[in-house]
Amino acid sequence: MQAASHCYPLLHLSGRGRYTTVSNHARVNFLSLNWLPQKFDFNQGAQIQKVRKSSKLKRFYVIPNSNDGYPSLSVPKEDTTASKKDTSTVEEWENGGETFLSKWSPPRYLWRGLSVLILAGQVIIRIINGKIHWKNTLQQLERVGPKSVGVCLLTAAFVGMAFTIQFVREFTRLGLNRSVGGVLALAFSRELSPVVTSIVVAGRIGSAFAAELGTMQVSEQTDTLRVLGANPVDYLVTPRVIASCIALPFLTLMCFTVGMASSALLADGVYGISINIILDSAQRALRSWDLISAMIKSQVFGAIISIISCAWGVTTLGGAKGVGESTTSAVVLSLVGIFIADFALSYCFFQGAGDSLKNCV
């Protein structure tokens, strides 16, 4: 009787109202509602931690606790029974109202792949609109071009000599000495020079792009650029893409020249095929479209390397470990993209039966 005399209603909620006020200094840990109102207003220090939904309208009472002086929540006995449907509803609200796909998030490789496409579109739009940071572009052009010449030419020379060893001895046995220069020229101009140059640039420049932008991302330097009013795409990504697309064609032409020279010297010194014969055969076999296609390929490869490396860099997570993983995956995906693009471009550029070597036989 004494406890009943101290009972007083805490709140009474109905599903019709859009606004609900919770008063008193009570701490409500679990609140069960029939119809969840659209807005709560907690006055006078009232606190609430979790909201549960029930199927019936309920009235709550607060009974003062004689031990610590804080009120405790009391629910009528007839309101504590619930059906199986109500139990499942309460469990759903206890789990935060989760649905089937509430915790699903797309895989990281999926949204990273989408970031490559989005970044490529942003770069194209900014180039068309003339939003180019020329100082950074010249710095990146110097880095991709002149500072990469040495390793590219060295690689092209040894690849050319190795390629010469594999087939010149067979051509000599068949008596096709005058076809050696044409085969070398076509192989270097159409496939070897753009692909080898792009592989070297992907390992040297693509990894540097991914590591730099990844470090800037995890250290929040890209956020600092946004605070200062500079767009990271304009300041960091677009100069690297432009520099790669400009430098790769020139590197490809130089690699083609060095590869042909090294092959001719090796054929003359080891197999006794005159350099004049090789150069004359190459001149007869080569056409202007062969060199143009090589430059187009190298431009596409440069765009692939720079965009993938920059996209993987700006989406880096996880500190130093994430930077290393982004760098590795950027180089691997750049190489895969180069090989796929090389097949697609070769299929488009060189269809049907060729007649380039008929003048060299």
Side-chain angles (χ1 to χ4, degrees), residues 80-341:
T80 58
T81 59
S83 62
K84 295 181 178 180
K85 182 177 180 180
D86 297 335
T87 304
S88 63
T89 305
V90 171
E91 291 177 354
E92 178 182 354
W93 276 88
E94 287 179 350
N95 294 327
E98 297 175 0
T99 59
F100 178 69
L101 297 176
S102 60
K103 287 188 176 181
W104 182 85
S105 61
R108 190 179 181 189
Y109 66 87
L110 180 60
W111 61 263
R112 270 191 155 182
L114 293 176
S115 69
V116 173
L117 301 178
I118 295 173
L119 192 62
Q122 291 179 344
V123 170
I124 293 173
I125 292 174
R126 279 161 172 76
I127 292 176
I128 294 175
N129 294 333
K131 296 181 179 180
I132 302 173
H133 198 283
W134 292 109
K135 183 179 179 180
N136 283 354
T137 302
L138 294 177
Q139 292 176 354
Q140 297 301 326
L141 187 61
E142 179 186 4
R143 182 184 185 185
V144 178
K147 293 185 178 180
S148 301
V149 170
V151 63
C152 290
L153 297 184
L154 186 65
T155 304
F158 281 97
V159 169
M161 289 188 290
F163 187 71
T164 303
I165 292 173
Q166 295 299 326
F167 78 92
V168 169
R169 55 192 300 268
E170 305 296 336
F171 274 49
T172 303
R173 181 172 299 181
L174 294 175
L176 299 175
N177 294 344
R178 292 188 175 276
S179 300
V180 172
V183 173
L184 286 173
L186 293 178
F188 271 99
S189 63
R190 293 181 179 181
E191 296 297 332
L192 289 179
S193 293
V195 173
V196 170
T197 305
S198 301
I199 291 174
V200 174
V201 172
R204 185 183 181 277
I205 301 299
S207 59
F209 286 172
E212 287 178 357
L213 296 185
T215 304
M216 296 180 69
Q217 179 66 25
V218 299
S219 60
E220 299 180 354
Q221 296 182 37
T222 55
D223 297 333
T224 305
L225 288 176
R226 294 187 181 94
V227 172
L228 295 176
N231 193 325
V233 177
D234 297 338
Y235 192 79
L236 300 175
V237 180
T238 304
R240 287 170 167 80
V241 175
I242 295 175
S244 300
C245 293
I246 294 176
L248 260 295
F250 293 99
L251 291 176
T252 299
L253 290 179
M254 288 187 286
C255 289
F256 168 74
T257 304
V258 172
M260 282 295 302
S262 62
S263 298
L265 291 174
L266 181 65
D268 186 20
V270 177
Y271 298 101
I273 303 176
S274 175
I275 295 178
N276 294 329
I277 295 176
I278 292 178
L279 295 180
D280 182 70
S281 176
Q283 184 179 1
R284 291 174 181 271
L286 275 181
R287 297 178 181 177
S288 59
W289 174 245
D290 296 325
L291 297 178
I292 293 174
S293 64
M295 298 182 69
I296 294 175
K297 280 186 176 183
S298 59
Q299 280 188 333
V300 174
F301 297 160
I304 291 174
I305 293 169
S306 56
I307 291 177
I308 290 179
S309 300
C310 292
W312 251 244
V314 298
T315 55
T316 300
L317 300 174
K321 182 180 179 180
V323 173
E325 293 176 352
S326 296
T327 304
T328 304
S329 58
V331 174
V332 172
L333 287 177
S334 297
L335 296 178
V336 174
I338 288 170
F339 297 143
I340 295 174

Side-chain angles (χ1 to χ4, degrees), residues 26-31 42 46-52 93:
R27 179 184 179 88
V28 182
N29 289 328
F30 300 98
L31 181 61
F42 299 98
Q47 300 180 11
I48 183 167
Q49 293 182 353
K50 185 180 290 187
V51 178
R52 295 180 179 176
W93 276 88

